[in-house]
Amino acid sequence: MTEILEGAQRGLLTHALFGQSLTVHLKNYHESTYNSLITIVQDLAATANSQQARCGLLVGFSPQLWGKWNNRSIPISDKVLNGTDQFMNTHGDVLLYLKTHDHKTAERLLEEPKRRLDGLAKDIDCVVMGKRQDSRIMGGRYHDGITNPNDPVSLQEDILINGDYKGSSFAFTQRFLFDWGAITSNTLDSQNQIVGRRTDGSILSQHSIRGHIHRANVRDSNGDQRKMLRQALPFGKVNHYSGREQGIMFVALCNEQQRFEDILQNLLGERKDDPADQLMQMVSGVGGSYWYVPAAKELGVSPAQASDGLYEHPHWKVSSPNGYLFYNFQDYLHAMGEGRYKEGDAPSPRLLSLIARTFNHWRDGWVHTEHFPRLPHLAGSEAKSKEMEAIPVPTRKAMANFETLTNLLSAPDSKVAQKGELLRIFPKELIVGVVPDFTYGRGKEVMPYLSKDEGFNFWLKKQLNEFSSMGHIIPDLDHLVRNGLGNMITDMEKRLDKDASHATFYNSAITSLKGIQGYLRNWATVADNSAAQAREHNQADDADNMADVSDRLRRLVDQTPQSFQDAVQLLYSFHCCLHLVGELTSIGRLDQILWPFLEKNPIPTDRAQEIIDCLFVKIGEDAFINRALIHDYITCGTGSINGGFGNFSQGGGINQWGQQITIGGYKAADGEPQDGSNPVSMLFLKSARRIPVNAPSVSLRVNKHTPADLIEEAAKALLSGGAQPCLFNDDKICKALLDSGVRNDHVGIKWSRDYAADGCFEPMMAGATEFAFNNVMPLLALEQTINEGATYGAAGSEHLRGLKVSFRSPLARSIESFEELQKIFLEQLRWLTIQCYDYLLDHYGNLADVCPSPLLSTVIDGCIEKGRDLTDGGARFHMLAPLFVGASNTIDSLYAIWKLVYDDESACTTLDELLLCLINDWGFGMIEPYQDLLLAATEADQNADRYKELRTAALALPKWGNGAADPVLQKIGADFMDSIVEIGKSVIREPHPALAPKLETIRKKYGQDFEFVVTIGTGTFEGYTGVGAACGASADGRRKGMPVASDTSPAPSPQDLPPQPAFRNIYGVMKSYRQDAVEYGIADAAPVDLNIPEDFPLEDLQQFIKDYAAGWVGGNLITLTCADLQTLQAASKDPEKYGLVRVRMGGWSEFYSTAFPAHQDHHQRRLTVAPGRPDAKGYEVRNGDF
């Protein structure tokens, strides 16, 4: 790849500060003129290169003239340039652009060449140029060239030509004059809108579509921004004022001349008299042209050196001192492309090229947005949909799957696929296909197949529709790659012949798999087209690669994968297809799935790493980085995780596809445990460390047998940001899953060891589990406890004391002891838990006759064997998870009530007064009828001040999970965790009378051996803001409506106060989680989401993970986000400059810049842990191997 860069003229890379531009019109085009000209160029280039200070010469020629002199055809398009008064094509034969460090040097170096040129030229147009050292222009307001692709990767992707003349380029020049009257007539804010940036260089995320940065960007056929290298310099002064440049000599380069025309057209828009780009109304072009910039070899001048002359704009020159975490695209590409990466194992040139393209795709999100089109009805129109009612819904769903996969969203000529950017392909890709930009937060588009009447009835009875499939489970992709599509179809055809009673299911499954076969054939054609284009551009290696890809795709239509790359391609294609039909699934234990292929047919490690790196890029390439331009596709019915629909939190899931990959952990086998880590596990960790995507989210299962090198690599990956990987403790999770069955042999040891993370983090038996969850809100149970069965978040003039939702508990003033309060609280919590299960059982199986999953069912163990759809009880395991969200805040609130009301040593109020305090939001929201607004302001203020005083006392109390050693706090926490596990299991295992008949009804339908796996959880995922919004103020000091802690994490500091990170010993923090209920009772996993500083010593982090793997540290799931508070605060102000900073949302990793302010504020206030060492006491290893 570097041979392209090193084929360029050395002066092309020189950073321009001062210089002169000479546009030469020759007297004639004789061979002697050519020879004399080349000699002048070579001499001047050598002189410039010899200067002590950095100088360089860029030389361009009229494309027609250079073609004539070198017997070549260099076609160009100049229709736009010639067709408007906004620009002027003054042509020219030769362009000499000398860049120097000051004016005098340029004048001195050009003195003799100008004299020599006088004999050859009939005219020389010379422009003397120069700019400030800080690169600001337009009166010093704006950075110039801030997004220039100066890194070696982008230069070779977007600026320099590959092929026979490696390192050549095209240039465009235009001398623009500034209209200072027009410029200064605009306010400063208006000027920022016109440019699209603030004066500090930060982007305006909601800039005008007539802003310059919007109009100056064009996209290629893949929907990606394509760049040009600006090397413009201001010239002249207006009335001798340095702050008023006369204009700017615009010089830009790129590797496709048509790109200049496209950009100029975009600047102009449709009306020649009113340029779309408002900046164009303030400048006028008075001269310039298009140029061919020969490669150094063509000119006989010194070539560029890959390590020489690369300029990184100071705006982007920010990165973490730890050497692993990168803050922005530009700095990443410079470091990786220039060989400055700390570990010395940067992604290969192929990967850096693909990553640069991905960054361009993301970057486009700052200026463009494309809404995915709605898909047509299966019947062709809604009017005809009535005619299809006689066809079974599963059959219609399969028909929709087939049409979606084979035609609408993959056919090379499909307008829908093109508009949805689903045919993006690059000839360097080893793995091809596109995951659509459907996410849990933004929604999806699927093909409707219900009639209007059916749609209404399903909405009325169930609030479900064709969009209701959720995915959010783990497909058995091992079954896919071991058997291949052809054998899977044959197997189902045989089953169909033997058992016609399940014909609808088998036929729908077969039709859906044939849709994937059509998808593979289409992508083979797409790859063929890419190969042909590569050959046209003399890119033989790329053409051969695409031919190989095409051949592979055609083989995989029917044949079983044979090679490592075969297996990766097939599982990725299947993954794409699941998402295309609305099943947003995770990916599973890929190291276990892929290792047999690599073991059987070894390939060099570097090649295997390239394949996995390519997979990472493909999975993460469609991320959104600008929340201002997102589109909401959610319907009433989209994504039902529990058989019904409710408006769940969306804002935190903008980039959540559910694309989890699990590696490491025990092998799926009975008997003595054996760690299943293998060389593929390491490949995934290295990808996670080196490729800054938010998806896939990598989960690493660790245990006492996990190899040290894997743990050491995991620590490096964590320091690169994004909480990759999250850390499961096998010995705890496996036992918890084993105990989640109705009896010991329900799940079994083998299956409990074969778990993976689903769409967020929930561990479930991989490829064999259906899943539903529902929230239980302990904070609301506590509100109901002290407020007579009502929640007080809605208290006020409408609902008086609040929403009445449960049994009427005693008056607050009559609750005489903390023990009595706890007893009432647990009864309120029990009621909410029963209500949770009641909803799940009532809605079980609802999707089967509305939105079945015939495609996903083909890769879920049990479905094919039973002939039942996943949504109709087909899976081997049926998992229910009651999620007790807001656990930490509840524990802290119970403790605060003890300390403020009942503790003889610290009590300062009554429960009655505390209730009033909370209803009035700690004095920040004084409301009727609890505060008469007709009272004098002084009296109202006195009450508010009293409540604020109580809040100060509450906030000063120690908090659970913060490393506090207070025995009462720890006991309250332990009792609470014991209680949610006991209640969560007992009310369904020894079914409450309200639940028993519903369980029996389910057994009658699905068989008397039907049982649920029950996994108690505490996961908020991204919903910590939504959960908090539903709750009133809580006794721990949290304000009304403010977020709760994520998952089982320590509560964040108050959202309404400045963030003040407390650096707690990481071992001390985890002591709170050292209890059986957390580690073995919460089988849905109890994530502890912590922040670590960017300078957390690598060796200390590695040792901590080893201690955690060995069982010395509490908890069964830990996530560690590496980011300093200062980094997060800077990213909030300049999201583009910190576009690669990623954080753990509670269930996955997200780009911090994409998160809404409430989430950003939450992350700034999460607990930050510091290195430490465990105390001997309390850290004994328990329970040994599982």
Side-chain angles (χ1 to χ4, degrees):
M1 186 174 182
T2 56
E3 62 179 337
I4 304 172
L5 184 62
E6 294 179 349
Q9 300 176 34
R10 186 172 183 265
L12 188 149
L13 300 184
T14 304
H15 176 55
L17 280 175
F18 295 90
Q20 292 188 22
S21 166
L22 276 61
T23 301
V24 181
H25 292 79
L26 296 171
K27 295 176 180 177
N28 62 63
Y29 305 135
H30 300 156
E31 183 177 353
S32 59
T33 300
Y34 169 76
N35 291 331
S36 297
L37 191 60
I38 292 297
T39 301
I40 295 171
V41 165
Q42 291 172 346
D43 291 345
L44 179 57
T47 302
N49 294 342
S50 69
Q51 300 302 299
Q52 186 174 3
R54 181 73 181 168
C55 299
L57 175 68
L58 174 67
V59 183
F61 291 84
S62 158
Q64 298 90 340
L65 179 58
W66 187 261
K68 175 184 177 180
W69 276 342
N70 291 275
N71 202 23
R72 285 173 56 193
S73 173
I74 307 177
I76 64 164
S77 172
D78 55 10
K79 179 179 178 182
V80 179
L81 179 60
N82 290 332
T84 177
D85 294 335
Q86 196 69 39
F87 312 107
M88 187 173 293
N89 188 357
T90 51
H91 303 284
D93 298 317
V94 186
L95 171 69
L96 299 180
Y97 182 17
L98 181 65
K99 309 169 200 174
T100 61
H101 63 286
D102 59 26
H103 283 306
K104 289 184 178 180
T105 300
E107 185 177 351
R108 174 172 57 82
L109 295 184
L110 282 171
E111 182 179 359
E112 204 246 331
K114 284 181 179 179
R115 183 185 56 77
R116 293 166 67 184
L117 284 170
D118 282 340
L120 303 175
K122 59 183 178 183
D123 179 63
I124 300 177
D125 181 19
C126 178
V127 182
V128 178
M129 307 167 291
K131 63 182 173 183
R132 300 156 43 138
Q133 292 293 327
D134 61 9
S135 296
R136 289 179 177 271
I137 61 171
M138 293 182 68
R141 281 184 58 78
Y142 298 105
H143 289 286
D144 181 53
I146 195 170
T147 60
N148 253 350
N150 290 307
D151 64 271
V153 182
S154 300
L155 285 169
Q156 293 169 100
E157 283 298 308
D158 284 341
I159 309 306
L160 303 175
I161 297 172
N162 194 1
D164 293 339
Y165 303 96
K166 288 182 172 60
S168 58
S169 187
F170 289 100
F172 167 63
T173 58
Q174 190 72 193
R175 191 197 306 189
F176 287 108
L177 300 178
F178 290 155
D179 182 346
W180 279 104
I183 294 172
T184 56
S185 67
N186 286 275
T187 66
L188 299 183
D189 284 343
S190 294
Q191 291 179 34
N192 291 348
Q193 282 288 338
I194 290 169
V195 173
R197 290 186 180 276
R198 300 179 184 89
T199 56
D200 63 0
S202 60
I203 196 168
L204 296 176
S205 60
Q206 291 182 312
H207 56 264
S208 167
I209 61 171
R210 298 188 67 181
H212 182 64
I213 67 167
H214 185 95
R215 305 304 307 185
N217 281 284
V218 296
R219 294 182 289 175
D220 63 13
S221 59
N222 281 315
D224 298 333
Q225 273 192 22
R226 302 307 301 276
K227 308 294 288 184
M228 59 181 181
L229 180 65
R230 292 169 50 101
Q231 296 193 339
L233 288 176
F235 64 87
K237 299 177 183 179
V238 176
N239 295 328
H240 308 290
Y241 288 113
S242 297
R244 291 290 185 267
E245 308 101 315
Q246 183 182 358
I248 191 167
M249 184 64 191
F250 186 83
V251 181
L253 299 105
C254 74
N255 53 13
E256 295 172 331
Q257 187 271 330
Q258 180 61 41
R259 194 180 308 155
F260 292 129
E261 285 277 289
D262 294 341
I263 291 174
L264 295 184
Q265 182 61 62
N266 219 35
L267 297 177
L268 295 173
E270 300 302 319
R271 294 178 54 184
K272 294 182 179 180
D273 60 334
D274 183 22
D277 184 347
Q278 289 178 302
L279 187 61
M280 290 296 102
Q281 299 178 358
M282 302 174 189
V283 300
S284 56
V286 296
S289 191
Y290 292 131
W291 309 91
Y292 173 71
V293 179
K297 188 175 182 179
E298 295 181 82
L299 281 177
V301 299
S302 297
Q305 299 297 316
S307 58
D308 182 32
L310 296 173
Y311 173 75
E312 182 174 359
H313 196 287
H315 183 75
W316 309 111
K317 229 171 183 178
V318 288
S319 61
S320 174
N322 72 25
Y324 296 104
L325 172 60
F326 291 91
Y327 294 157
N328 59 68
F329 308 155
Q330 287 85 344
D331 192 60
Y332 174 90
L333 291 173
H334 271 284
M336 293 297 190
E338 295 170 18
R340 295 190 281 108
Y341 181 50
K342 180 173 185 173
E343 287 292 306
D345 60 348
S348 69
R350 178 195 304 276
L351 260 298
L352 289 177
S353 172
L354 297 176
I355 292 169
R357 290 295 185 106
T358 297
F359 287 168
N360 281 343
H361 192 63
W362 295 350
R363 189 183 286 113
D364 189 59
W366 289 114
V367 292
H368 296 109
T369 181
E370 287 287 347
H371 298 164
F372 199 91
R374 294 187 180 186
L375 303 188
H377 196 282
L378 176 64
S381 69
E382 192 176 87
K384 296 180 180 179
S385 63
K386 188 73 176 175
E387 303 169 8
M388 302 192 75
E389 285 187 358
I391 302 174
V393 168
T395 303
R396 278 185 265 167
K397 176 64 177 286
M399 294 165 63
N401 286 348
F402 183 88
E403 179 65 18
T404 297
L405 298 177
T406 300
N407 296 316
L408 272 180
L409 301 188
S410 74
D413 59 352
S414 167
K415 300 300 182 185
V416 177
Q418 292 167 5
K419 181 172 176 57
E421 299 180 356
L422 294 176
L423 302 177
R424 300 173 67 242
I425 190 169
F426 305 111
K428 288 181 171 59
E429 290 182 325
L430 300 177
I431 305 299
V432 299
V434 176
V435 178
D437 61 356
F438 303 157
T439 69
Y440 296 141
R442 286 182 285 118
K444 58 195 173 186
E445 294 290 351
V446 299
M447 174 174 278
Y449 49 81
L450 299 174
S451 70
K452 186 175 182 179
D453 289 342
E454 288 174 322
F456 176 81
N457 289 332
F458 287 135
W459 168 79
L460 187 63
K461 295 177 181 178
K462 304 178 180 182
Q463 289 193 303
L464 300 175
N465 56 28
E466 301 98 326
F467 295 77
S468 295
S469 61
M470 185 68 174
H472 211 281
I473 60 173
I474 307 152
D476 185 2
L477 297 179
D478 187 48
H479 174 75
L480 169 72
V481 297
R482 280 188 290 104
N483 294 281
L485 294 171
N487 289 333
M488 289 171 67
I489 291 173
T490 299
D491 173 62
M492 278 184 280
E493 289 173 340
K494 291 178 179 178
R495 292 176 185 272
L496 179 60
D497 290 340
K498 293 179 182 179
D499 183 7
S501 65
H502 295 104
T504 298
F505 169 74
Y506 286 125
N507 282 323
S508 66
I510 290 168
T511 300
S512 296
L513 287 180
K514 288 183 176 179
I516 294 185
Q517 291 180 315
Y519 175 89
L520 292 173
R521 293 188 186 98
N522 284 340
W523 268 92
T525 301
V526 173
D528 286 339
N529 295 339
S530 181
Q533 292 175 4
R535 288 192 184 92
E536 287 178 9
H537 291 86
N538 299 316
Q539 298 167 358
D541 290 345
D542 289 344
D544 291 344
N545 177 61
M546 284 291 98
D548 179 63
V549 166
S550 174
D551 177 68
R552 176 173 296 102
L553 291 166
R554 287 192 169 87
R555 283 189 286 105
L556 293 174
V557 169
D558 292 302
Q559 298 178 29
T560 303
Q562 297 300 309
S563 69
F564 184 69
Q565 191 169 348
D566 284 354
V568 174
Q569 179 65 70
L570 181 58
L571 66 83
Y572 176 69
S573 294
F574 200 98
H575 176 73
C576 290
C577 289
L578 285 171
H579 283 242
L580 286 167
V581 299
E583 300 278 11
L584 277 57
T585 59
S586 71
I587 310 176
R589 302 187 70 186
L590 282 198
D591 57 346
Q592 306 303 301
I593 295 170
L594 294 174
W595 170 237
F597 292 91
L598 191 58
E599 185 179 37
K600 182 179 179 181
N601 296 302
I603 58 176
T605 300
D606 288 350
R607 177 66 172 182
Q609 186 70 65
E610 252 196 338
I611 293 169
I612 297 302
D613 286 351
C614 281
L615 177 64
F616 262 67
V617 173
K618 292 304 300 178
I619 289 173
E621 68 181 350
D622 257 341
F624 273 65
I625 59 173
N626 182 9
R627 62 179 182 266
L629 296 183
I630 63 170
H631 184 70
D632 184 357
Y633 300 99
I634 298 283
T635 73
C636 179
T638 297
S640 172
I641 193 65
N642 50 30
F645 178 74
N647 281 295
F648 53 86
S649 299
Q650 294 179 236
I654 292 173
N655 280 317
Q656 163 58 334
W657 286 264
Q659 300 184 106
Q660 302 276 358
I661 289 175
T662 303
I663 58 174
Y666 289 136
K667 292 181 179 179
D670 293 318
E672 290 297 312
Q674 299 179 43
D675 184 73
S677 303
N678 57 57
V680 179
S681 313
M682 183 64 78
L683 299 180
F684 279 105
L685 286 178
K686 287 189 175 182
S687 293
R689 167 170 56 82
R690 295 149 54 252
I691 301 177
V693 290
N694 86 300
S697 289
V698 178
S699 298
L700 174 63
R701 293 173 46 180
V702 296
N703 52 66
K704 291 195 301 297
H705 305 288
T706 301
D709 62 339
L710 207 65
I711 288 176
E712 290 164 3
E713 183 62 36
K716 295 176 184 177
L718 285 167
L719 290 177
S720 73
Q724 304 256 36
C726 58
L727 304 168
F728 286 89
N729 185 289
D730 258 6
D731 294 299
K732 299 168 184 178
I733 293 290
C734 291
K735 185 179 188 307
L737 288 174
L738 181 67
D739 293 344
S740 66
V742 71
R743 56 188 181 277
N744 286 339
D745 63 346
H746 182 187
V747 174
I749 290 178
K750 177 181 177 180
W751 276 109
S752 72
R753 290 175 177 166
D754 198 20
Y755 75 87
D758 78 337
C760 296
F761 60 74
E762 302 96 316
M764 60 184 65
M765 287 66 76
T769 310
E770 63 165 319
F771 177 65
F773 71 76
N774 199 11
N775 285 351
V776 181
M777 298 180 65
L779 274 179
L780 294 186
L782 188 53
E783 291 186 28
Q784 293 158 208
T785 298
I786 64 176
N787 194 36
E788 302 178 67
T791 59
Y792 51 70
S797 58
E798 289 297 319
H799 297 287
L800 300 184
R801 77 172 191 271
L803 299 176
K804 290 73 179 176
V805 295
S806 183
F807 69 88
R808 191 164 61 162
S809 51
L811 294 168
R813 72 174 66 96
S814 67
I815 301 175
E816 297 180 355
S817 69
F818 185 68
E819 291 71 24
E820 182 183 356
L821 181 139
Q822 283 184 304
K823 184 177 180 180
I824 299 168
F825 166 69
L826 292 179
E827 186 60 19
Q828 290 282 1
L829 189 61
R830 186 177 297 272
W831 277 46
L832 293 183
T833 306
I834 294 167
Q835 184 183 53
C836 164
Y837 280 123
D838 182 74
Y839 186 93
L840 290 172
L841 298 179
D842 268 351
H843 291 77
Y844 183 77
N846 265 2
L847 285 171
D849 59 351
V850 184
C851 189
S853 297
L855 179 58
L856 182 52
S857 296
T858 65
V859 284
I860 296 295
D861 187 273
C863 292
I864 302 303
E865 293 79 2
K866 298 175 186 175
R868 276 188 177 275
D869 192 86
L870 165 69
T871 62
D872 195 27
R876 176 186 286 269
F877 298 108
H878 321 284
M879 183 177 285
L880 299 180
L883 303 181
F884 294 82
V885 294
S888 299
N889 296 88
T890 306
I891 293 169
D892 291 340
S893 295
L894 285 166
Y895 177 71
I897 293 173
W898 156 256
K899 294 293 288 182
L900 299 179
V901 177
Y902 295 106
D903 183 15
D904 292 338
E905 301 297 324
S906 59
C908 59
T909 187
T910 65
L911 193 59
D912 245 3
E913 185 186 33
L914 181 60
L915 174 59
L916 287 173
C917 173
L918 297 176
I919 287 174
N920 287 282
D921 192 18
W922 296 104
F924 292 93
M926 305 299 287
I927 58 172
E928 293 267 16
Y930 300 96
Q931 175 64 54
D932 188 345
L933 298 183
L934 295 178
L935 290 176
T938 301
E939 185 172 343
D941 289 344
Q942 285 178 349
N943 290 335
D945 288 344
R946 167 61 177 161
Y947 297 156
K948 291 174 182 177
E949 179 183 273
L950 288 176
R951 187 194 189 207
T952 300
L955 290 175
L957 295 172
K959 300 293 188 279
W960 187 79
N962 260 275
D966 186 292
V968 176
L969 174 59
Q970 295 305 322
K971 185 178 187 307
I972 289 174
D975 289 347
F976 174 82
M977 291 298 180
D978 286 339
S979 296
I980 65 173
V981 172
E982 186 278 325
I983 293 172
K985 288 189 174 183
S986 65
V987 298
I988 193 167
R989 289 298 182 225
E990 301 166 7
H992 187 277
L995 302 179
K998 302 186 180 202
L999 286 167
E1000 187 56 32
T1001 298
I1002 291 172
R1003 290 192 183 101
K1004 284 180 180 178
K1005 181 175 181 179
Y1006 297 108
Q1008 287 301 311
D1009 61 344
F1010 184 99
E1011 295 288 353
F1012 285 108
V1013 172
V1014 175
T1015 55
I1016 310 302
T1018 54
T1020 62
F1021 319 116
E1022 87 293 354
Y1024 42 82
T1025 55
V1027 171
C1031 297
S1034 47
D1036 59 346
R1038 190 189 128 270
R1039 291 276 308 280
K1040 174 185 175 180
M1042 290 194 172
V1044 298
S1046 67
D1047 302 324
T1048 328
S1049 313
S1053 60
Q1055 200 102 338
D1056 63 321
L1057 298 177
Q1060 295 178 336
F1063 292 85
R1064 308 293 190 193
N1065 182 311
I1066 190 170
Y1067 288 92
V1069 165
M1070 296 309 299
K1071 279 187 177 181
S1072 294
Y1073 305 91
R1074 186 68 167 167
Q1075 53 177 294
D1076 284 355
V1078 173
E1079 296 181 315
Y1080 305 108
I1082 302 182
D1084 197 55
V1088 184
D1089 305 315
L1090 302 171
N1091 288 350
I1092 60 173
E1094 294 171 31
D1095 63 356
F1096 200 109
L1098 175 61
E1099 297 78 11
D1100 288 341
L1101 185 56
Q1102 291 170 333
Q1103 187 59 53
F1104 172 78
I1105 301 173
K1106 291 175 182 177
D1107 291 340
Y1108 172 71
W1112 285 81
V1113 176
N1116 60 24
L1117 173 56
I1118 300 175
T1119 75
L1120 300 171
T1121 294
C1122 181
D1124 291 339
L1125 172 61
Q1126 293 77 9
T1127 300
L1128 299 181
Q1129 290 174 327
S1132 294
K1133 295 177 181 177
D1134 193 341
E1136 188 186 24
K1137 189 174 181 178
Y1138 292 84
L1140 290 181
V1141 175
R1142 297 161 291 152
V1143 294
R1144 181 75 178 182
M1145 294 299 290
W1148 56 87
S1149 295
E1150 177 61 288
F1151 292 107
Y1152 182 81
S1153 60
T1154 307
F1156 284 95
H1159 288 278
Q1160 293 187 349
D1161 291 345
H1162 189 276
H1163 282 282
Q1164 291 182 23
R1165 290 160 175 80
R1166 285 188 181 178
L1167 183 66
T1168 298
V1169 292
R1173 287 287 179 264
D1175 300 326
K1177 185 177 180 180
Y1179 280 93
E1180 72 282 359
V1181 178
R1182 300 184 297 171
N1183 295 305
D1185 290 331
F1186 174 73

